[in-house]
Amino acid sequence: MMTKRTFQPRSIHHLALCAILALFGAILLARAGIAAPAAHDSPRAYCAHIGTDDTLRTPPSSLAPAIRRLFNIRGHYAPKAAYYRCAEGAVKVCFVGANLPCGKANTSKNQPAVARWCETHPDTESIPLYVTGHDSLYSWHCIGSKAATGASHGTLDPRGFFEEYWKTVK
């Protein structure tokens, strides 16, 4: 025999909380939609309109030929292993590699993981990237049990990205 389920009202506090969370979620989705290009916009049109936006986006297939050309790679996977962003109205692309961070560089000179490494590995001349992070601007070493920065790994663009990893689509 099947029993009929009846609606069990929840507390007014629970309903109010659900309503607030739903409203907050709707606001976040609406704000996210402002930065995202419309499905019919090309990256060039979007970037020309928006100017500068540091959001890393998965490139559409229309950018695949440019990615292949700029990074001298072959194969259908080119756009799947890349990002694009808008910089002063231009489309910039980055092809992800093992040691090629497409995100903004970590410019911090105080990294807890590196400090812990030096405490247990004093006088280390070069700290592995899995400790420092592939996005660190600096090389790191230990002076005694203290972490110290060395030379920078590259040049940053005005937005904080490694210049050499980002190429402009023309």
Side-chain angles (χ1 to χ4, degrees), residues 67-150:
I67 294 167
R68 286 187 195 103
R69 178 178 43 79
L70 290 168
F71 295 96
N72 195 27
I73 55 174
R74 298 176 191 210
H76 65 281
Y77 63 88
K80 294 179 178 131
Y83 291 104
Y84 86 92
R85 65 182 173 96
C86 302
E88 297 179 5
V91 177
K92 295 247 183 188
V93 291
C94 177
F95 190 74
V96 178
N99 296 322
L100 305 176
C102 289
K104 287 188 177 189
N106 179 353
T107 59
S108 175
K109 290 189 175 188
N110 180 16
Q111 289 196 29
V114 176
R116 284 190 301 276
W117 175 273
C118 289
E119 288 170 1
T120 58
H121 300 83
D123 295 315
T124 302
E125 290 184 27
S126 179
I127 299 175
L129 290 176
Y130 74 86
V131 176
T132 66
H134 292 262
D135 62 347
S136 179
L137 176 60
Y138 306 105
S139 62
W140 290 84
H141 59 279
C142 304
I143 300 173
S145 62
K146 299 292 182 197
T149 58

